[in-house]
């Protein structure tokens, strides 16, 4: 399997779709609470920075890969400690930016997001 390729993404999406049960305990990544607007602002900034220069258009939201959108929702957005208080629209907006970040930076992008939120 190519670690950066479509096979890995397809595998992760398949795992998400299987609906693995949540395990009680602390989350794998400790993330501070925050408003959807705060978290989305950081994710958006990091995602835009991760895009190749020719694709950077801050006035437009890049179209996330559908499979990565599911990964973004399941593994990042839905496990954020403040997510239960966000609207569906807020969660979807954040999921889109996180999916773009994952597409261009992979797990490093998620780690960077967590660091930025922790420092902010």
């Amino acid at each position: 399997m190519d670690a950066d390729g479509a096979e890995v993404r397809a595998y992760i999406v398949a795992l998400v779709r299987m609906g693995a049960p949540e395990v009680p305990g602390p989350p794998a990544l400790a993330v501070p609470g925050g408003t959807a607007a705060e978290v989305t602002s950081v994710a958006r900034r990091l995602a835009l920075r991760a895009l190749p220069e020719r694709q950077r258009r801050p006035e437009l939201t890049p179209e996330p890969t559908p499979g990565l959108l599911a990964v973004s929702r399941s593994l990042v957005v839905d496990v954020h400690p403040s997510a239960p208080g966000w609207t569906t629209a807020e969660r979807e907006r954040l999921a889109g930016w996180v999916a773009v970040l994952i597409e261009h930076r992979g797990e490093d992008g998620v780690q960077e997001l967590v660091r930025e939120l922790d420092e902010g």
Side-chain angles (χ1 to χ4, degrees):
M1 249 192 254
D2 174 14
D4 294 324
E7 290 178 10
V8 171
R9 282 184 277 226
Y11 177 73
I12 292 171
V13 169
L15 289 175
V16 170
R17 286 185 181 147
M18 286 183 350
E22 288 190 30
V23 178
L29 299 173
V31 181
T35 67
E38 293 166 340
V39 178
T40 301
S41 175
V42 174
R44 179 183 179 278
R45 181 173 45 79
L46 294 175
L48 286 172
R49 188 169 63 194
L51 287 171
E53 190 72 36
R54 68 185 184 285
Q55 292 179 350
R56 289 185 196 166
R57 296 187 58 195
E59 71 279 6
L60 299 176
T61 302
E63 189 67 35
T65 303
L68 290 178
L69 194 54
V71 170
S72 169
R73 276 188 209 109
S74 299
L75 300 179
V76 180
V77 177
D78 290 347
V79 297
H80 190 282
S82 299
W86 300 339
T87 67
T88 301
E90 289 171 327
R91 292 166 77 131
E92 286 303 305
R93 190 173 308 113
L94 175 57
W97 284 112
V98 172
V100 171
L101 181 59
I102 292 170
E103 181 173 358
H104 294 280
R105 297 265 298 130
E107 184 181 345
D108 290 342
V110 175
Q111 294 288 340
E112 187 176 15
L113 175 62
V114 171
R115 273 194 307 276
E116 293 269 337
L117 293 172
D118 201 31
E119 293 171 3

